[in-house]
Amino acid sequence: MAPGSVTTPVLDEKTHVIEKPKQQEGEREQWDTKIEFLLSVIGFAVDLGNVWRFPYVCYRNGGGAFLIPYLVMLVFGGFPLFYMELALGQYQRIGYAICIIATFVSWYYNTIISWAVFYFFSSMQSEVPWKHCHNPWNTPNCIDFEQRAEYYRQNITAKNYTTPNEEFFEREVLGLDGDKYNIDNLGPVNWRIALCLVGVFVLVYFAMWKGVKSSGKAVWITATMPYVVLTILLIRGVTLDGALEGIEYFIIPRFDRLGDYSVWVDAAAQIFFSLGPGFGVLLALSSYNKFSNNCFRDALLTSGVNCGTSFLAGFAVFSVLGHMAYTQNTDVSKVAREDVGLIFIVYPEAISNLSISSFWAILFFFMLITLGLDTTFGGLEAIATGILDEWPQLRKRREIFILVLMIYCFLGGLATTTYGGIYLVQLMDTYGAPISILLIVCLEAVAVSWIYGATRFEVDIEAMLGPQHPAYWWFWKICWMVISPIFLLILFILSLYIAPTPRYGEYEYPTWSIVVGWLIVCSSLVLVPAYAVYKFLITPGTVAERIRTIMIPEEAPVHTEEIRVYV
């Protein structure tokens, strides 16, 4: 943990008012307006996963059957943890514990955005370039949409064929050349993707260089534009032939799937990673709030908007999948694919068959860019907040510090822009965060509820919200103390048991790369026991005294206004 201060506030027991402590070296900013904070949190939570992972895991788990466990996990796991982190960040000013994970994510997530940038500019033609097989990058095995549709109608099986949208993504965007490049041979840097990545980091820099004063302005565009585009795409999607079949697949439950534990595990994982507790971002963003800000209302609003966005994206995506199934004369369950193919192969193919396809493609990929940038703002702000709270003197040189951070993340992600970079992206997406974050947030919930104390945490929240604090404390306490830690621990154990492996197409990753992946997992987890051992060794006293000392919060938070404690 990176506490926000080294100054302890003084409590006047008669008036129950905590005196204002001295300000830290280097002034700590706050959000200009409440709406900028809300847009930033919504922008972080609503990301590519809402239009990529949510539709896919819903698709894979039987459509409507997935929505029931999804909502159950929202109520008993996702929302309580989301609320806990907003309150914790606002009160304690915690800023680091997740920097390693956030670094790994920054190394590959921005490359995915750079692919969307490439598609965005490639779409600025009379028709999208992935519609036909008449391009320099196409192979003799390429079969366009019309020919495949004819094969489906005549019940002809075409073997070893590829589609123009697959070849555009793999051969033109990524630069893959058959089996030449893979995790064993990444090849040279693809300069066009690297240039797109430079553009992404330039945008991120100018959105972050002034802190929340600048990023708060950027989210007015990046956090709102996806809703405009999603709404337009949804209206267009539901007017397509076959759209109803896709929507029915999305919303009608197949109750026999509810007995499959994997559906519940996927639902818990999706709601957890969608809302994003544990990545340090909620802690960082809420730490710039005023102390008396109503974080409960914020949690309720933003988590609701996030899940509503997933449903909106689900309707938009499944209407298009239904149209694809209709035109190919096949079932909805046979038109999608795993990995990034849903947003970079399947959906672009559907777009290519719409009238004025370039217009829809530009809209779609602009939406992906804005979704990705919002999440990048939050992830990198978590790193920046942790470091700047630990060394507040750096705030006076924030512009230079952010520039160094951008260069560091760009150099770290450069390997993912190689011709075989997609294999590295899939490796890091599998091991960089999803496994370790489960245990870290479980430990965070245990630390807050059992070590710091749920009752003490309740008093902290009352200090911020006053006597109008949310009712039903028994529900939050049960979730924080029992339900959420248990379900996170179960998910972590299942992740170890299932031992997920990265996949891209039919490629099988070699053993050495799997070992590297698990080392990436351990690199962040090892910091927890390592720091505990370090604190134990440097703390004076007997063994019992050391344990008791290191389990007590070291420093009280600094706030720029009076803290009234209601007793």
Side-chain angles (χ1 to χ4, degrees):
M1 265 187 348
S5 169
V6 295
T7 308
T8 303
V10 180
L11 177 65
D12 183 336
E13 296 183 356
K14 293 182 180 180
T15 61
H16 306 299
V17 175
I18 299 179
E19 297 176 359
K20 294 181 183 178
K22 294 180 180 179
Q23 184 63 282
Q24 298 182 36
E25 180 182 354
E27 184 179 358
R28 202 178 200 282
E29 66 238 314
Q30 289 187 337
W31 297 101
D32 279 344
T33 64
K34 176 66 172 290
I35 190 64
E36 291 180 0
F37 164 70
L38 292 175
L39 288 175
S40 296
V41 174
I42 291 172
F44 163 71
V46 177
D47 68 346
L48 295 177
N50 292 81
V51 295
W52 165 26
R53 281 196 177 94
F54 175 80
Y56 177 72
V57 294
C58 186
Y59 177 88
R60 182 179 63 191
N61 289 292
F66 174 79
L67 302 181
I68 297 174
Y70 177 82
L71 293 174
V72 171
M73 293 301 175
L74 167 65
V75 173
F76 293 100
F79 178 69
L81 289 169
F82 191 88
Y83 174 35
M84 182 186 75
E85 283 216 350
L86 286 185
L88 191 63
Q90 186 168 306
Y91 189 86
Q92 294 287 358
R93 304 297 200 223
I94 296 175
Y96 88 48
I98 309 292
C99 288
I100 297 296
I101 291 178
T103 296
F104 288 144
V105 172
S106 72
W107 285 352
Y108 74 88
Y109 189 85
N110 294 291
T111 299
I112 298 176
I113 304 175
S114 70
W115 298 341
V117 172
F118 191 100
Y119 268 89
F120 176 77
F121 286 106
S122 298
S123 302
M124 295 180 179
Q125 304 179 31
S126 58
E127 65 176 11
V128 292
W130 58 85
K131 184 173 183 177
H132 299 294
C133 297
H134 311 311
N135 302 291
W137 58 82
N138 291 129
T139 68
N141 293 329
C142 181
I143 299 178
D144 62 25
F145 183 84
E146 290 81 4
Q147 190 172 358
R148 277 182 290 128
E150 183 63 26
Y151 284 168
Y152 280 120
R153 284 192 291 270
Q154 298 182 19
N155 200 25
I156 298 175
T157 301
K159 297 181 179 179
N160 300 322
Y161 74 87
T162 56
T163 63
N165 43 296
E166 286 177 319
E167 292 195 349
F168 178 80
F169 179 59
E170 295 184 344
R171 298 178 62 83
E172 175 67 0
V173 179
L174 301 181
L176 291 175
D177 183 9
D179 298 329
K180 181 178 180 180
Y181 300 112
N182 50 48
I183 197 69
D184 288 306
N185 178 27
L186 294 176
V189 170
N190 184 336
W191 68 267
R192 294 185 298 179
I193 298 300
L195 188 61
C196 291
L197 186 61
V198 170
V200 169
F201 276 111
V202 168
L203 290 174
V204 174
Y205 173 75
F206 285 108
M208 290 183 59
W209 70 327
K210 295 294 185 182
V212 295
K213 301 292 185 183
S214 56
S215 63
K217 303 299 183 293
V219 294
W220 279 97
I221 297 175
T222 57
T224 57
M225 184 56 67
Y227 294 97
V228 176
V229 177
L230 268 179
T231 302
I232 294 173
L233 292 175
L234 174 61
I235 294 172
R236 182 66 182 102
V238 297
T239 61
L240 298 172
D241 293 331
L244 182 60
E245 286 73 15
I247 292 174
E248 287 177 346
Y249 187 90
F250 175 53
I251 62 176
I252 297 178
R254 292 152 182 80
F255 292 103
D256 58 304
R257 296 299 306 275
L258 295 179
D260 187 348
Y261 81 91
S262 65
V263 177
W264 292 83
V265 172
D266 279 349
Q270 176 60 32
I271 194 65
F272 177 72
F273 292 119
S274 178
L275 290 175
F279 286 89
V281 177
L282 301 178
L283 295 170
L285 297 180
S286 61
S287 71
Y288 296 106
N289 274 331
K290 294 181 178 179
F291 182 68
S292 58
N293 176 65
N294 192 328
C295 52
F296 174 77
R297 186 172 54 199
D298 294 346
L300 190 63
L301 174 64
T302 53
S303 59
V305 169
N306 175 59
C307 293
T309 305
S310 294
F311 278 85
L312 177 64
F315 279 105
V317 170
F318 275 87
S319 63
V320 173
L321 293 180
H323 174 65
M324 292 183 65
Y326 172 82
T327 55
Q328 297 177 12
N329 193 27
T330 187
D331 190 76
V332 177
S333 62
K334 297 180 181 179
V335 294
R337 59 172 280 177
E338 202 168 349
D339 61 53
V340 294
L342 181 61
I343 55 174
F344 288 110
I345 296 178
V346 176
Y347 212 95
E349 179 178 41
I351 289 174
S352 69
N353 290 282
L354 301 177
S355 57
I356 55 173
S357 59
S358 296
F359 170 75
W360 299 110
I362 290 172
L363 277 183
F364 178 73
F365 288 107
F366 183 69
M367 177 188 69
L368 293 186
I369 293 169
T370 55
L371 285 171
L373 287 175
D374 275 336
T375 302
T376 293
F377 294 161
L380 295 180
E381 189 60 54
I383 300 176
T385 300
I387 295 174
L388 294 177
D389 278 355
E390 187 70 16
W391 294 284
Q393 63 272 18
L394 292 177
R395 293 195 189 119
K396 295 180 178 179
R397 298 288 184 270
R398 180 182 172 98
E399 293 87 350
I400 297 176
F401 168 74
I402 295 298
L403 178 61
V404 172
L405 179 62
M406 295 299 107
I407 294 174
Y408 164 73
C409 292
F410 171 77
L411 294 177
L414 201 57
T416 62
T417 68
T418 57
Y419 287 106
I422 179 65
Y423 298 101
L424 186 57
V425 168
Q426 293 297 120
L427 181 75
M428 299 188 71
D429 187 48
T430 302
Y431 296 111
I435 300 174
S436 53
I437 199 72
L438 294 171
L439 183 60
I440 287 177
V441 181
C442 177
L443 295 175
E444 178 185 303
V446 170
V448 171
S449 302
W450 293 97
I451 298 177
Y452 185 74
T455 300
R456 181 183 294 174
F457 190 46
E458 176 185 350
V459 172
D460 292 345
I461 294 177
E462 288 184 357
M464 293 186 292
L465 305 186
Q468 303 300 320
H469 67 275
Y472 307 112
W473 273 112
W474 59 270
F475 174 76
W476 306 117
K477 284 185 178 180
I478 291 175
C479 288
W480 291 335
M481 297 177 70
V482 181
I483 298 178
S484 296
I486 288 177
F487 109 80
L488 286 169
L489 184 60
I490 291 175
L491 279 177
F492 177 71
I493 294 173
L494 286 174
S495 296
L496 298 179
Y497 174 73
I498 298 173
T501 56
R503 295 191 64 84
Y504 180 70
E506 300 300 322
Y507 179 75
E508 292 188 8
Y509 280 71
T511 302
W512 72 263
S513 65
I514 306 300
V515 173
V516 170
W518 285 104
L519 290 176
I520 291 175
V521 173
C522 294
S523 66
S524 54
L525 292 180
V526 74
L527 294 180
V528 177
Y531 186 74
V533 171
Y534 164 75
K535 292 299 293 184
F536 178 83
L537 294 176
I538 67 171
T539 301
T542 64
V543 172
E545 290 172 342
R546 292 182 182 189
I547 294 176
R548 186 165 52 251
T549 299
I550 64 178
M551 294 184 69
I552 296 174
E554 291 180 333
E555 299 159 347
V558 156
H559 302 289
T560 58
E561 57 190 273
E562 232 174 37
I563 305 173
R564 296 190 178 274
V565 182
Y566 296 86
V567 294

